Amino acid sequence: MNALDTATPRGDQRRTALLNALDALLQDSSFEAVNIAEISRRAGVTRSAFYFYFENKAAAVAALMEQMYDDTAAAAALLTGEGTPQERIEGTIRGLFASWDRNEHLCRATLEARASSAAVREMWDSDRESFVPVVASMIDAEREAGRAPDGVAATTLATVLLELNDRMLERSAIGGPLGREELVEGVVAVWLRTIYGRTS
């Protein structure tokens, strides 16, 4: 099916066309190199149409990143699924990294946009913080079941662990001294030690 469903209202079609154009451009160019005139030209709309839907280029990138939210939610759902603590946590972490792999160009663009746009930073933080109750609820349930020791407030631990994920995904996107498997292994170990007091 064409990316623009003929049943979609014309305004939604234009917005979708702009996002599709931006997504395609970011696969070959950096956030800084992409310009609004080229996005609009590729989408077949005017520059004024772009500004009708998005305040600026960063806002359009933020809209694209919102489409990754479902991937993150699916990964987080594994925390309360079947399996051992290590299997559940590792499945979640690997799911997050896999989502970033599929959308690497968007992740890099968002990191660039986040540095210069308060709106993108707020969206990024809001998305991350929306998962704090999910993780905190899992920690509380593990404690109530006697599988995890009591300690620091679950909400505090959840916030810190999600901040860790954020940082490790960023390192994965921009590069660093550790390879992918080392990052996954390290993050999983920190989650297990933090929640359960052990790494297995």
Side-chain angles (χ1 to χ4, degrees), residues 14-22 39-40 43 45 49-50 53-54:
R14 287 179 174 175
R15 185 178 187 276
T16 301
L18 285 163
L19 291 176
N20 287 346
L22 175 58
I39 298 169
S40 302
V45 302
F50 177 93
Y53 296 106
F54 307 107

Side-chain angles (χ1 to χ4, degrees), residues 12 23 25 27 44 55-56 63-65 71 79 83-84 93 95 124 131 135 145 151-152 160 175 179-180 182 193 198:
D12 289 346
D23 184 73
L25 287 166
Q27 293 185 42
E55 179 182 356
N56 51 37
L64 277 177
M65 283 298 290
D71 283 351
L79 288 172
T84 66
I93 301 305
W124 185 286
F131 290 101
V135 178
V152 175
V160 171
R180 166 58 55 81
E182 292 171 306
R193 179 73 71 181
R198 61 183 191 277

Side-chain angles (χ1 to χ4, degrees), residues 4 10 13-14 17-18 21 36-47 49-50:
L4 300 180
R10 189 167 181 232
Q13 288 183 354
R14 287 179 174 175
L18 285 163
I36 290 170
E38 179 64 10
I39 298 169
S40 302
R41 186 191 66 78
R42 279 213 182 195
V45 302
T46 63
R47 282 174 60 97
F50 177 93

Side-chain angles (χ1 to χ4, degrees), residues 74-186:
L78 297 175
L79 288 172
T80 54
E82 299 295 325
T84 66
Q86 180 164 355
E87 290 169 341
R88 289 184 281 119
I89 289 172
E90 184 171 340
T92 295
I93 301 305
R94 288 192 181 280
L96 293 175
F97 275 101
S99 176
W100 274 58
D101 285 344
R102 289 191 297 272
N103 300 279
E104 184 177 356
H105 61 294
L106 293 182
C107 298
R108 291 180 184 277
T110 303
L111 291 172
E112 287 185 66
R114 188 177 65 172
S116 60
S117 169
V120 174
R121 285 194 298 275
E122 289 170 9
M123 177 217 71
W124 185 286
D125 290 343
S126 176
D127 281 356
R128 182 185 60 249
E129 289 164 11
S130 72
F131 290 101
V132 169
V134 176
V135 178
S137 178
M138 181 275 281
I139 294 172
D140 282 333
E142 292 295 272
R143 288 174 172 178
E144 289 170 9
R147 291 186 291 268
D150 289 332
V152 175
T155 298
T156 301
L157 292 186
T159 300
V160 171
L161 290 170
L162 290 167
E163 290 277 3
L164 169 67
N165 287 3
D166 194 347
R167 179 61 174 161
M168 291 304 96
L169 289 168
E170 180 179 337
R171 295 306 301 175
S172 177
I174 66 177
L178 298 179
R180 166 58 55 81
E181 285 304 308
E182 292 171 306
L183 285 174
V184 170
E185 182 180 355

Side-chain angles (χ1 to χ4, degrees), residues 53-75:
Y53 296 106
F54 307 107
E55 179 182 356
N56 51 37
K57 189 170 56 172
V61 169
L64 277 177
M65 283 298 290
E66 280 296 313
Q67 298 174 11
M68 289 180 58
Y69 188 89
D70 287 347
D71 283 351
T72 303

